[in-house]
Amino acid sequence: MRVLYTYGALRQTSNEDLMNITIAIGSDHRGYELKKNILEHTALAGYTIVWNDVGTYSTEQTDYPIYAKKVAYDLVSNKADYGIMLCGTGIGMSIMA
């Protein structure tokens, strides 16, 4: 059993849980290309990463709060272990988080 410190909360996990990680990822149109690269090129040795891509799915202009809320929801509802939010500056996503 290990204890992880994530997003201001202590969470106990077994070694088996550490092998499977679910990550919610979301971006606005300005973060879309980076999100695509992360999804295509990220691997952690010994871990299975399950990506929960909550959008956006194109470079068409959209608003960041939509996707920040979806990532945050997945975290607080335990649908994801970790979250990544991407936008043009990072400021808006940080505020939403």
Side-chain angles (χ1 to χ4, degrees):
M1 185 76 58
R2 294 186 185 181
V3 177
L4 298 178
Y5 183 77
T6 57
Y7 299 101
L10 289 175
R11 183 171 69 105
Q12 291 186 350
T13 61
S14 68
N15 289 336
E16 186 176 307
D17 288 339
L18 290 177
M19 303 307 284
N20 299 303
I21 299 172
T22 302
I23 302 174
I25 187 168
S27 70
D28 67 1
H29 59 285
R30 292 186 180 182
Y32 174 72
E33 292 297 328
L34 178 57
K35 182 182 76 163
K36 273 184 25 181
N37 286 332
I38 290 170
L39 292 173
E40 292 172 4
H41 301 292
T42 302
L44 295 172
Y47 291 87
T48 300
I49 300 175
V50 177
W51 291 102
N52 184 9
D53 184 355
V54 298
T56 191
Y57 305 108
S58 73
T59 57
E60 184 178 331
Q61 189 168 350
T62 186
D63 297 324
Y64 70 86
I66 297 166
Y67 307 102
K69 184 177 180 180
K70 290 179 180 184
V71 171
Y73 177 79
D74 281 2
L75 289 170
V76 299
S77 63
N78 292 320
K79 292 181 179 181
D81 301 307
Y82 302 96
I84 299 173
M85 299 176 181
L86 304 164
C87 67
T89 64
I91 295 169
M93 291 289 197
S94 298
I95 292 169
M96 289 295 295

